[in-house]
Amino acid sequence: MGEKISIIVPIYNVEKYLNRCIESIVNQTYQNLEIILVDDGSPDQCPEICDQWALKDSRIKVVHKENGGLSDARNKGMEIASGDYIGFIDSDDWIHFQMYDKLYQVLKEEQAQIAACNFQKVEKIDKEDVNYKKQDGNIQVYDTEEALKALITEQGLQQVVWNKLYKKDLLDNLEFAYGKYNEDEFWSYQVIARAKKMVTTSYQGYYYFQRQDSIIGDTYSLKRLDGLEGKIHRQAFIDQYFSKLSGISRLNLFYSHCYAYQCCLRCLKKDEMKIADEKIRKGLEEYPLQKSDYRKETMKQKVWINLYKIFLKKACQLRNWLKIGW
């Protein structure tokens, strides 16, 4: 039957999509599941939907709590999880019927502590309307430093937690940052740093639903700058424990700040932009980019970097005008 996997689903205001999500979990080919539905004080019919599902499937546990946000809901789920492994799913998404079977299989075969699969972004509400990509299963194995490098450069690994399966003991005393918008930025590097080995598969197991009213490219707010704070924390961690990766981490931190400035110029009001300008410049000063950090960049990128360093606002305005990085 295999070891138990605890799946944590934070739920808030998703009554239109919740049945689709839960159905994809209960129909997994991997059956030894503990399904933890955390109703985060949802004001719609989600609490009732959760309770109805619990009556139909004994593997489902429902937690009703006051609204505390995504991080708080995930933390509550981890508190009661009893599985040997833990996975997270966002309640407006859904998963392929073999996802946890595939992740568990590659994790055990490679004797890893974390397994990750590919995901597909979708905008269709009805699963039957989605143009699904062809499945394959190419495997990549990382040691700790290789995994962190892939995460920092976002080449092979992403910050998101919902396409992964974690050995539970990796998560001991590691909570999600409460009240932060980009909570994964504060959490992912820490858990990956605890894993001696990580494996990824190109198999498409997760379907990330992009609602028309919440696509990241359409809106930008000051709360999104939380992600920069998470990366600043990561830089301090990398400098202390994985100093060989400090240069590529600083470069990513620099680019992230510049990209955020571009987005702020496009989307924020004048008074908000003043706050953003101060935060972003302060972040850039805290861990200044060194010439050795970008010596391998292309000549074109080096020109942009120097423009950023001298004329941050004007460089970002120019990139917006040219629609670069949109």
Side-chain angles (χ1 to χ4, degrees):
M1 192 175 185
E3 298 166 289
K4 185 191 292 184
I5 296 175
S6 297
I7 303 173
I8 298 168
V9 188
I11 296 164
Y12 185 80
N13 210 23
V14 288
E15 63 181 10
K16 289 172 58 177
Y17 319 110
L18 185 55
N19 281 316
R20 181 183 65 183
C21 175
I22 298 174
E23 183 180 32
S24 74
I25 301 171
V26 301
N27 289 335
Q28 288 290 292
T29 54
Y30 194 95
Q31 290 288 297
N32 192 9
L33 303 176
E34 176 185 53
I35 304 167
I36 303 173
L37 307 179
V38 184
D39 161 35
D40 191 33
S42 190
D44 57 5
Q45 294 300 307
C46 285
E48 290 79 6
I49 294 172
C50 291
D51 291 338
Q52 290 167 8
W53 273 102
L55 293 174
K56 292 188 286 186
D57 195 317
S58 61
R59 298 173 300 171
I60 294 177
K61 295 180 179 178
V62 179
V63 177
H64 297 291
K65 59 180 288 295
E66 292 184 1
N67 180 250
L70 179 59
S71 292
D72 193 51
R74 285 176 176 170
N75 291 337
K76 179 59 68 174
M78 287 194 290
E79 282 180 20
I80 67 172
S82 62
D84 304 288
Y85 297 88
I86 289 182
F88 302 94
I89 299 177
D90 284 356
S91 51
D92 52 354
D93 301 333
W94 74 94
I95 57 177
H96 187 265
F97 70 99
Q98 290 182 305
M99 181 176 125
Y100 283 108
D101 230 339
K102 296 283 190 182
L103 289 178
Y104 181 76
Q105 181 182 345
V106 297
L107 188 146
K108 298 301 285 186
E109 286 176 353
E110 299 299 337
Q111 297 182 318
Q113 292 81 47
I114 304 175
C117 66
N118 256 342
F119 61 90
Q120 182 176 342
K121 296 179 180 179
V122 295
E123 297 181 16
K124 304 290 186 180
I125 293 178
D126 193 330
K127 292 193 292 185
E128 281 67 39
D129 293 335
V130 174
N131 182 22
Y132 293 101
K133 295 179 181 178
K134 184 179 179 181
Q135 292 285 12
D136 57 32
N138 297 323
I139 302 298
Q140 177 70 49
V141 179
Y142 302 88
D143 64 23
T144 309
E145 189 169 296
E146 289 169 341
L148 281 171
K149 182 178 181 180
L151 182 75
I152 292 167
T153 59
E154 298 177 13
Q155 295 180 0
L157 285 179
Q158 297 83 27
Q159 303 287 342
V160 295
V161 303
W162 30 252
N163 66 330
K164 299 177 178 68
L165 182 62
Y166 302 90
K167 192 81 169 64
K168 186 186 178 185
D169 58 10
L170 288 182
L171 278 53
D172 289 346
N173 303 312
L174 185 57
E175 292 190 336
F176 288 89
Y178 181 80
K180 297 299 182 182
Y181 191 91
N182 297 83
E183 58 283 322
D184 294 352
E185 297 277 8
F186 293 81
W187 193 84
S188 290
Y189 71 89
Q190 296 186 71
V191 68
I192 287 175
R194 293 182 176 188
K196 292 181 180 179
K197 186 184 290 188
M198 180 173 180
V199 59
T200 63
T201 171
S202 57
Y203 154 78
Q204 300 270 355
Y206 194 96
Y207 301 104
Y208 171 53
F209 180 54
Q210 292 189 306
R211 285 182 274 171
Q212 291 300 317
D213 59 352
S214 64
I215 295 176
I216 289 175
D218 288 343
T219 59
Y220 203 89
S221 67
L222 285 172
K223 282 298 293 177
R224 292 193 183 277
L225 298 183
D226 285 353
L228 298 181
E229 182 185 346
K231 288 193 174 186
I232 288 171
H233 289 185
R234 185 182 71 185
Q235 185 67 50
F237 179 88
I238 292 296
D239 286 352
Q240 183 172 359
Y241 299 107
F242 297 91
S243 57
K244 288 183 180 179
L245 301 177
S246 288
I248 62 168
S249 183
R250 275 193 301 271
L251 183 59
N252 177 268
L253 184 64
F254 179 84
Y255 281 142
S256 296
H257 276 76
C258 296
Y259 175 74
Y261 203 102
Q262 267 190 260
C263 294
C264 289
L265 283 172
R266 290 202 306 270
C267 302
L268 299 188
K269 297 177 181 178
K270 187 175 181 180
D271 56 337
E272 293 176 321
M273 189 62 219
K274 185 176 180 180
I275 297 171
D277 179 274
E278 184 178 340
K279 284 187 175 182
I280 291 171
R281 290 182 187 276
K282 183 178 179 181
L284 288 169
E285 291 171 1
E286 190 165 353
Y287 290 98
L289 191 66
Q290 301 174 16
K291 283 189 176 180
S292 58
D293 298 338
Y294 59 94
R295 66 175 182 274
K296 294 183 179 179
E297 293 292 272
T298 65
M299 182 58 66
K300 183 179 179 180
Q301 286 302 109
K302 289 177 181 178
V303 170
W304 278 114
I305 288 170
N306 285 309
L307 284 173
Y308 281 137
K309 292 174 77 173
I310 302 171
F311 308 108
L312 176 62
K313 184 176 181 179
K314 291 186 180 299
C316 290
Q317 287 174 328
L318 177 59
R319 286 179 70 89
N320 279 340
W321 184 71
L322 295 171
K323 294 189 176 181
I324 300 174
W326 281 36

